[in-house]
Amino acid sequence: ELADEPSFQLKDPAEWTLVDEATGAYGQGSVSFTPLQLTTAWNTLASGGAYYKPSIVKEISDNGQVREFEPQFVNQAVTKKAAEDALYVSALSVERSGGSLSTNFYEKYPYSGKTGTANIPKVDGVGYQETIVNTSYVGVVPLENPKFTMLVWFREPRIGADGGNVTSANTALTSWLQI
């Protein structure tokens, strides 16, 4: 439903090389997600492991009255226990990550999420760009019985929110918390 969103297909694991396995272990190489896929994965965790077909909804109204949108259940992608464990493990790192904005928000609204920093492949050559990255933060709030999932994604940010080097924590996470 998003015209500009690319589609990525993983290689068949039987075709993976040692490099694919090594870089995939930390989220690079053959592992790619679109923003919608990443948000949907976290939404599945927030839904107790239930996978719902993602839909982009601008507005649903009936004579000016907003109607309820009924999500379409597809399957139980992971067990409820596995989904809860994943959220709590991530929440532990959130709780311990520090930073006054994060700590203050977590004390008021316990949440779970994950930063992401994606290196950008070089166009003319092998390897990755040395000075630019994409950053993201995806998370759910509140931790108990989550009500929403949100992704903040920056394409090639030039400076962090604190005026320093670009990291996911000082670009995407900072914005996520402020939103």
Side-chain angles (χ1 to χ4, degrees):
E1 296 176 29
L2 294 175
D4 292 344
E5 184 162 84
S7 177
F8 298 106
Q9 297 296 321
L10 287 175
K11 281 197 243 180
D12 183 319
E15 297 175 16
W16 283 23
T17 66
L18 289 175
V19 171
D20 291 326
E21 290 179 24
T23 57
Y26 54 88
Q28 293 187 358
S30 296
V31 178
S32 296
F33 297 95
T34 68
L36 182 58
Q37 289 170 328
L38 183 58
T39 305
T40 300
W42 275 82
N43 205 47
T44 299
L45 296 177
S47 299
Y51 171 70
Y52 290 88
K53 180 182 176 194
S55 290
I56 307 305
V57 180
K58 180 177 180 183
E59 179 180 301
I60 299 174
S61 66
D62 187 12
N63 295 326
Q65 298 295 316
V66 176
R67 295 185 290 129
E68 290 290 320
F69 173 74
E70 194 61 40
Q72 182 182 348
F73 175 79
V74 176
N75 63 22
Q76 188 70 29
V78 297
T79 67
K80 184 173 182 170
K81 172 100 170 76
E84 288 172 352
D85 288 351
L87 288 179
Y88 281 101
V89 165
S90 178
L92 287 174
S93 71
V94 164
E95 199 173 13
R96 294 179 181 150
S97 65
S100 61
L101 183 61
S102 178
T103 301
N104 291 341
F105 187 88
Y106 188 86
E107 287 173 0
K108 197 170 185 179
Y109 307 103
Y111 67 99
S112 181
K114 179 70 179 91
T115 57
T117 303
N119 294 99
I120 301 169
K122 290 181 179 177
V123 177
D124 303 340
V126 177
Y128 296 98
Q129 301 286 339
E130 293 179 23
T131 59
I132 56 174
V133 293
N134 293 329
T135 63
S136 64
Y137 189 82
V138 63
V140 300
V141 69
L143 184 57
E144 293 289 333
N145 193 23
K147 300 296 180 201
F148 72 89
T149 305
M150 182 172 64
L151 169 73
V152 172
W153 179 70
F154 286 99
R155 182 178 179 177
E156 302 178 17
R158 298 293 180 198
I159 191 165
D162 58 4
N165 290 336
V166 170
T167 67
S168 292
N170 72 9
T171 57
L173 173 58
T174 300
S175 295
W176 192 93
L177 292 168
Q178 290 173 341
I179 293 168

PDB file of all heavy atoms in Angstrom, residues 120-147:
ATOM      1  N   ILE A 120      25.135   2.279   4.782  1.00  0.00           N
ATOM      2  CA  ILE A 120      24.656   2.442   3.416  1.00  0.00           C
ATOM      3  C   ILE A 120      25.728   1.947   2.454  1.00  0.00           C
ATOM      4  O   ILE A 120      26.863   2.437   2.482  1.00  0.00           O
ATOM      5  CB  ILE A 120      24.314   3.924   3.141  1.00  0.00           C
ATOM      6  CG1 ILE A 120      23.235   4.371   4.140  1.00  0.00           C
ATOM      7  CG2 ILE A 120      23.869   4.115   1.708  1.00  0.00           C
ATOM      8  CD1 ILE A 120      23.003   5.861   4.159  1.00  0.00           C
ATOM      9  N   PRO A 121      25.381   0.961   1.619  1.00  0.00           N
ATOM     10  CA  PRO A 121      26.383   0.428   0.682  1.00  0.00           C
ATOM     11  C   PRO A 121      26.888   1.507  -0.271  1.00  0.00           C
ATOM     12  O   PRO A 121      26.157   2.413  -0.654  1.00  0.00           O
ATOM     13  CB  PRO A 121      25.618  -0.647  -0.093  1.00  0.00           C
ATOM     14  CG  PRO A 121      24.452  -0.988   0.760  1.00  0.00           C
ATOM     15  CD  PRO A 121      24.107   0.274   1.506  1.00  0.00           C
ATOM     16  N   LYS A 122      28.156   1.390  -0.629  1.00  0.00           N
ATOM     17  CA  LYS A 122      28.735   2.297  -1.619  1.00  0.00           C
ATOM     18  C   LYS A 122      28.131   1.997  -2.978  1.00  0.00           C
ATOM     19  O   LYS A 122      27.893   0.844  -3.320  1.00  0.00           O
ATOM     20  CB  LYS A 122      30.253   2.115  -1.698  1.00  0.00           C
ATOM     21  CG  LYS A 122      30.989   2.607  -0.475  1.00  0.00           C
ATOM     22  CD  LYS A 122      32.491   2.406  -0.632  1.00  0.00           C
ATOM     23  CE  LYS A 122      33.238   2.915   0.590  1.00  0.00           C
ATOM     24  NZ  LYS A 122      34.680   2.671   0.475  1.00  0.00           N
ATOM     25  N   VAL A 123      27.898   3.047  -3.734  1.00  0.00           N
ATOM     26  CA  VAL A 123      27.349   2.883  -5.075  1.00  0.00           C
ATOM     27  C   VAL A 123      28.443   2.424  -6.038  1.00  0.00           C
ATOM     28  O   VAL A 123      28.239   1.556  -6.869  1.00  0.00           O
ATOM     29  CB  VAL A 123      26.713   4.193  -5.580  1.00  0.00           C
ATOM     30  CG1 VAL A 123      26.205   4.035  -7.000  1.00  0.00           C
ATOM     31  CG2 VAL A 123      25.596   4.631  -4.652  1.00  0.00           C
ATOM     32  N   ASP A 124      29.634   3.016  -5.901  1.00  0.00           N
ATOM     33  CA  ASP A 124      30.745   2.713  -6.800  1.00  0.00           C
ATOM     34  C   ASP A 124      31.829   1.936  -6.059  1.00  0.00           C
ATOM     35  O   ASP A 124      32.879   2.476  -5.758  1.00  0.00           O
ATOM     36  CB  ASP A 124      31.359   4.007  -7.355  1.00  0.00           C
ATOM     37  CG  ASP A 124      30.353   4.873  -8.072  1.00  0.00           C
ATOM     38  OD1 ASP A 124      29.311   4.342  -8.462  1.00  0.00           O
ATOM     39  OD2 ASP A 124      30.604   6.071  -8.217  1.00  0.00           O
ATOM     40  N   GLY A 125      31.576   0.705  -5.730  1.00  0.00           N
ATOM     41  CA  GLY A 125      32.621  -0.059  -5.066  1.00  0.00           C
ATOM     42  C   GLY A 125      32.070  -1.024  -4.034  1.00  0.00           C
ATOM     43  O   GLY A 125      30.875  -1.221  -3.900  1.00  0.00           O
ATOM     44  N   VAL A 126      33.000  -1.572  -3.289  1.00  0.00           N
ATOM     45  CA  VAL A 126      32.669  -2.573  -2.286  1.00  0.00           C
ATOM     46  C   VAL A 126      32.674  -1.921  -0.912  1.00  0.00           C
ATOM     47  O   VAL A 126      33.467  -1.027  -0.639  1.00  0.00           O
ATOM     48  CB  VAL A 126      33.712  -3.718  -2.329  1.00  0.00           C
ATOM     49  CG1 VAL A 126      33.431  -4.742  -1.251  1.00  0.00           C
ATOM     50  CG2 VAL A 126      33.722  -4.367  -3.700  1.00  0.00           C
ATOM     51  N   GLY A 127      31.777  -2.356  -0.056  1.00  0.00           N
ATOM     52  CA  GLY A 127      31.747  -1.850   1.310  1.00  0.00           C
ATOM     53  C   GLY A 127      30.647  -0.836   1.527  1.00  0.00           C
ATOM     54  O   GLY A 127      29.694  -0.739   0.748  1.00  0.00           O
ATOM     55  N   TYR A 128      30.812  -0.081   2.605  1.00  0.00           N
ATOM     56  CA  TYR A 128      29.785   0.858   3.023  1.00  0.00           C
ATOM     57  C   TYR A 128      30.314   2.281   3.065  1.00  0.00           C
ATOM     58  O   TYR A 128      31.510   2.509   3.197  1.00  0.00           O
ATOM     59  CB  TYR A 128      29.275   0.484   4.432  1.00  0.00           C
ATOM     60  CG  TYR A 128      28.594  -0.862   4.455  1.00  0.00           C
ATOM     61  CD1 TYR A 128      29.273  -2.003   4.854  1.00  0.00           C
ATOM     62  CD2 TYR A 128      27.254  -0.980   4.076  1.00  0.00           C
ATOM     63  CE1 TYR A 128      28.642  -3.236   4.870  1.00  0.00           C
ATOM     64  CE2 TYR A 128      26.618  -2.210   4.102  1.00  0.00           C
ATOM     65  CZ  TYR A 128      27.311  -3.336   4.496  1.00  0.00           C
ATOM     66  OH  TYR A 128      26.692  -4.551   4.499  1.00  0.00           O
ATOM     67  N   GLN A 129      29.397   3.253   2.952  1.00  0.00           N
ATOM     68  CA  GLN A 129      29.745   4.652   3.104  1.00  0.00           C
ATOM     69  C   GLN A 129      30.383   4.830   4.487  1.00  0.00           C
ATOM     70  O   GLN A 129      29.969   4.189   5.442  1.00  0.00           O
ATOM     71  CB  GLN A 129      28.497   5.532   3.021  1.00  0.00           C
ATOM     72  CG  GLN A 129      27.723   5.411   1.736  1.00  0.00           C
ATOM     73  CD  GLN A 129      28.410   6.107   0.581  1.00  0.00           C
ATOM     74  OE1 GLN A 129      29.242   6.993   0.765  1.00  0.00           O
ATOM     75  NE2 GLN A 129      28.068   5.712  -0.629  1.00  0.00           N
ATOM     76  N   GLU A 130      31.363   5.689   4.587  1.00  0.00           N
ATOM     77  CA  GLU A 130      32.067   5.853   5.861  1.00  0.00           C
ATOM     78  C   GLU A 130      31.439   6.889   6.778  1.00  0.00           C
ATOM     79  O   GLU A 130      31.598   6.813   7.997  1.00  0.00           O
ATOM     80  CB  GLU A 130      33.533   6.211   5.595  1.00  0.00           C
ATOM     81  CG  GLU A 130      34.286   5.057   4.955  1.00  0.00           C
ATOM     82  CD  GLU A 130      35.735   5.400   4.665  1.00  0.00           C
ATOM     83  OE1 GLU A 130      36.276   6.320   5.313  1.00  0.00           O
ATOM     84  OE2 GLU A 130      36.318   4.740   3.797  1.00  0.00           O
ATOM     85  N   THR A 131      30.714   7.857   6.233  1.00  0.00           N
ATOM     86  CA  THR A 131      30.253   8.961   7.072  1.00  0.00           C
ATOM     87  C   THR A 131      28.734   9.101   7.154  1.00  0.00           C
ATOM     88  O   THR A 131      28.253   9.981   7.860  1.00  0.00           O
ATOM     89  CB  THR A 131      30.834  10.293   6.561  1.00  0.00           C
ATOM     90  OG1 THR A 131      30.409  10.492   5.206  1.00  0.00           O
ATOM     91  CG2 THR A 131      32.346  10.297   6.656  1.00  0.00           C
ATOM     92  N   ILE A 132      27.981   8.271   6.444  1.00  0.00           N
ATOM     93  CA  ILE A 132      26.529   8.402   6.498  1.00  0.00           C
ATOM     94  C   ILE A 132      25.875   7.055   6.811  1.00  0.00           C
ATOM     95  O   ILE A 132      26.369   6.005   6.402  1.00  0.00           O
ATOM     96  CB  ILE A 132      25.934   8.993   5.200  1.00  0.00           C
ATOM     97  CG1 ILE A 132      26.339   8.165   3.977  1.00  0.00           C
ATOM     98  CG2 ILE A 132      26.317  10.447   5.036  1.00  0.00           C
ATOM     99  CD1 ILE A 132      25.672   8.587   2.686  1.00  0.00           C
ATOM    100  N   VAL A 133      24.791   7.143   7.557  1.00  0.00           N
ATOM    101  CA  VAL A 133      24.018   5.962   7.936  1.00  0.00           C
ATOM    102  C   VAL A 133      22.535   6.346   7.931  1.00  0.00           C
ATOM    103  O   VAL A 133      22.193   7.520   7.828  1.00  0.00           O
ATOM    104  CB  VAL A 133      24.388   5.458   9.359  1.00  0.00           C
ATOM    105  CG1 VAL A 133      25.801   4.925   9.407  1.00  0.00           C
ATOM    106  CG2 VAL A 133      24.161   6.534  10.398  1.00  0.00           C
ATOM    107  N   ASN A 134      21.685   5.350   8.027  1.00  0.00           N
ATOM    108  CA  ASN A 134      20.272   5.566   8.309  1.00  0.00           C
ATOM    109  C   ASN A 134      20.056   5.132   9.753  1.00  0.00           C
ATOM    110  O   ASN A 134      20.694   4.183  10.214  1.00  0.00           O
ATOM    111  CB  ASN A 134      19.380   4.743   7.376  1.00  0.00           C
ATOM    112  CG  ASN A 134      19.466   5.207   5.938  1.00  0.00           C
ATOM    113  OD1 ASN A 134      19.685   6.375   5.655  1.00  0.00           O
ATOM    114  ND2 ASN A 134      19.285   4.284   5.012  1.00  0.00           N
ATOM    115  N   THR A 135      19.188   5.837  10.463  1.00  0.00           N
ATOM    116  CA  THR A 135      18.935   5.491  11.856  1.00  0.00           C
ATOM    117  C   THR A 135      17.440   5.282  12.070  1.00  0.00           C
ATOM    118  O   THR A 135      16.613   5.881  11.371  1.00  0.00           O
ATOM    119  CB  THR A 135      19.439   6.579  12.827  1.00  0.00           C
ATOM    120  OG1 THR A 135      18.720   7.788  12.599  1.00  0.00           O
ATOM    121  CG2 THR A 135      20.935   6.803  12.672  1.00  0.00           C
ATOM    122  N   SER A 136      17.114   4.444  13.058  1.00  0.00           N
ATOM    123  CA  SER A 136      15.706   4.189  13.337  1.00  0.00           C
ATOM    124  C   SER A 136      15.504   3.841  14.798  1.00  0.00           C
ATOM    125  O   SER A 136      16.445   3.485  15.510  1.00  0.00           O
ATOM    126  CB  SER A 136      15.194   3.039  12.464  1.00  0.00           C
ATOM    127  OG  SER A 136      15.870   1.836  12.783  1.00  0.00           O
ATOM    128  N   TYR A 137      14.273   3.964  15.215  1.00  0.00           N
ATOM    129  CA  TYR A 137      13.842   3.445  16.505  1.00  0.00           C
ATOM    130  C   TYR A 137      12.414   2.962  16.339  1.00  0.00           C
ATOM    131  O   TYR A 137      11.557   3.688  15.834  1.00  0.00           O
ATOM    132  CB  TYR A 137      13.895   4.491  17.623  1.00  0.00           C
ATOM    133  CG  TYR A 137      13.656   3.836  18.964  1.00  0.00           C
ATOM    134  CD1 TYR A 137      14.703   3.200  19.626  1.00  0.00           C
ATOM    135  CD2 TYR A 137      12.401   3.789  19.536  1.00  0.00           C
ATOM    136  CE1 TYR A 137      14.498   2.546  20.824  1.00  0.00           C
ATOM    137  CE2 TYR A 137      12.190   3.133  20.737  1.00  0.00           C
ATOM    138  CZ  TYR A 137      13.239   2.513  21.378  1.00  0.00           C
ATOM    139  OH  TYR A 137      13.041   1.852  22.563  1.00  0.00           O
ATOM    140  N   VAL A 138      12.185   1.707  16.707  1.00  0.00           N
ATOM    141  CA  VAL A 138      10.843   1.140  16.677  1.00  0.00           C
ATOM    142  C   VAL A 138      10.529   0.666  18.079  1.00  0.00           C
ATOM    143  O   VAL A 138      11.393   0.125  18.774  1.00  0.00           O
ATOM    144  CB  VAL A 138      10.723  -0.003  15.637  1.00  0.00           C
ATOM    145  CG1 VAL A 138      11.627  -1.174  15.974  1.00  0.00           C
ATOM    146  CG2 VAL A 138       9.272  -0.455  15.481  1.00  0.00           C
ATOM    147  N   GLY A 139       9.318   0.931  18.517  1.00  0.00           N
ATOM    148  CA  GLY A 139       8.965   0.516  19.861  1.00  0.00           C
ATOM    149  C   GLY A 139       7.473   0.471  20.082  1.00  0.00           C
ATOM    150  O   GLY A 139       6.682   0.925  19.245  1.00  0.00           O
ATOM    151  N   VAL A 140       7.108  -0.106  21.226  1.00  0.00           N
ATOM    152  CA  VAL A 140       5.715  -0.218  21.628  1.00  0.00           C
ATOM    153  C   VAL A 140       5.548   0.386  23.016  1.00  0.00           C
ATOM    154  O   VAL A 140       6.474   0.377  23.825  1.00  0.00           O
ATOM    155  CB  VAL A 140       5.219  -1.682  21.617  1.00  0.00           C
ATOM    156  CG1 VAL A 140       5.344  -2.291  20.229  1.00  0.00           C
ATOM    157  CG2 VAL A 140       5.943  -2.532  22.639  1.00  0.00           C
ATOM    158  N   VAL A 141       4.360   0.928  23.261  1.00  0.00           N
ATOM    159  CA  VAL A 141       4.062   1.532  24.555  1.00  0.00           C
ATOM    160  C   VAL A 141       2.573   1.381  24.832  1.00  0.00           C
ATOM    161  O   VAL A 141       1.786   1.435  23.878  1.00  0.00           O
ATOM    162  CB  VAL A 141       4.517   3.023  24.580  1.00  0.00           C
ATOM    163  CG1 VAL A 141       3.680   3.908  23.686  1.00  0.00           C
ATOM    164  CG2 VAL A 141       4.611   3.564  25.978  1.00  0.00           C
ATOM    165  N   PRO A 142       2.163   1.144  26.052  1.00  0.00           N
ATOM    166  CA  PRO A 142       2.967   0.786  27.210  1.00  0.00           C
ATOM    167  C   PRO A 142       3.431  -0.660  27.125  1.00  0.00           C
ATOM    168  O   PRO A 142       2.912  -1.449  26.329  1.00  0.00           O
ATOM    169  CB  PRO A 142       2.007   0.988  28.387  1.00  0.00           C
ATOM    170  CG  PRO A 142       0.658   0.720  27.814  1.00  0.00           C
ATOM    171  CD  PRO A 142       0.726   1.198  26.386  1.00  0.00           C
ATOM    172  N   LEU A 143       4.383  -1.016  27.966  1.00  0.00           N
ATOM    173  CA  LEU A 143       4.948  -2.354  27.953  1.00  0.00           C
ATOM    174  C   LEU A 143       3.890  -3.407  28.280  1.00  0.00           C
ATOM    175  O   LEU A 143       3.818  -4.451  27.637  1.00  0.00           O
ATOM    176  CB  LEU A 143       6.121  -2.435  28.930  1.00  0.00           C
ATOM    177  CG  LEU A 143       6.892  -3.747  28.982  1.00  0.00           C
ATOM    178  CD1 LEU A 143       7.429  -4.119  27.614  1.00  0.00           C
ATOM    179  CD2 LEU A 143       8.028  -3.635  29.985  1.00  0.00           C
ATOM    180  N   GLU A 144       3.083  -3.148  29.288  1.00  0.00           N
ATOM    181  CA  GLU A 144       1.986  -4.062  29.636  1.00  0.00           C
ATOM    182  C   GLU A 144       0.805  -3.746  28.731  1.00  0.00           C
ATOM    183  O   GLU A 144       0.329  -2.614  28.706  1.00  0.00           O
ATOM    184  CB  GLU A 144       1.575  -3.878  31.104  1.00  0.00           C
ATOM    185  CG  GLU A 144       2.622  -4.288  32.101  1.00  0.00           C
ATOM    186  CD  GLU A 144       2.815  -5.795  32.181  1.00  0.00           C
ATOM    187  OE1 GLU A 144       1.863  -6.549  31.895  1.00  0.00           O
ATOM    188  OE2 GLU A 144       3.945  -6.211  32.495  1.00  0.00           O
ATOM    189  N   ASN A 145       0.346  -4.729  27.981  1.00  0.00           N
ATOM    190  CA  ASN A 145      -0.795  -4.545  27.078  1.00  0.00           C
ATOM    191  C   ASN A 145      -0.590  -3.349  26.143  1.00  0.00           C
ATOM    192  O   ASN A 145      -1.316  -2.351  26.204  1.00  0.00           O
ATOM    193  CB  ASN A 145      -2.087  -4.386  27.898  1.00  0.00           C
ATOM    194  CG  ASN A 145      -3.319  -4.505  27.035  1.00  0.00           C
ATOM    195  OD1 ASN A 145      -3.290  -5.097  25.961  1.00  0.00           O
ATOM    196  ND2 ASN A 145      -4.404  -3.938  27.502  1.00  0.00           N
ATOM    197  N   PRO A 146       0.420  -3.415  25.246  1.00  0.00           N
ATOM    198  CA  PRO A 146       0.744  -2.284  24.365  1.00  0.00           C
ATOM    199  C   PRO A 146      -0.457  -1.784  23.565  1.00  0.00           C
ATOM    200  O   PRO A 146      -1.292  -2.572  23.117  1.00  0.00           O
ATOM    201  CB  PRO A 146       1.808  -2.864  23.429  1.00  0.00           C
ATOM    202  CG  PRO A 146       2.408  -3.992  24.200  1.00  0.00           C
ATOM    203  CD  PRO A 146       1.288  -4.569  25.005  1.00  0.00           C
ATOM    204  N   LYS A 147      -0.513  -0.470  23.398  1.00  0.00           N
ATOM    205  CA  LYS A 147      -1.605   0.173  22.661  1.00  0.00           C
ATOM    206  C   LYS A 147      -1.190   0.629  21.271  1.00  0.00           C
ATOM    207  O   LYS A 147      -2.017   0.769  20.387  1.00  0.00           O
ATOM    208  CB  LYS A 147      -2.148   1.375  23.442  1.00  0.00           C
ATOM    209  CG  LYS A 147      -2.689   1.015  24.806  1.00  0.00           C
ATOM    210  CD  LYS A 147      -3.880   0.110  24.691  1.00  0.00           C
ATOM    211  CE  LYS A 147      -4.410  -0.243  26.062  1.00  0.00           C
ATOM    212  NZ  LYS A 147      -5.202  -1.446  26.053  1.00  0.00           N
TER     213      LYS A 147
END
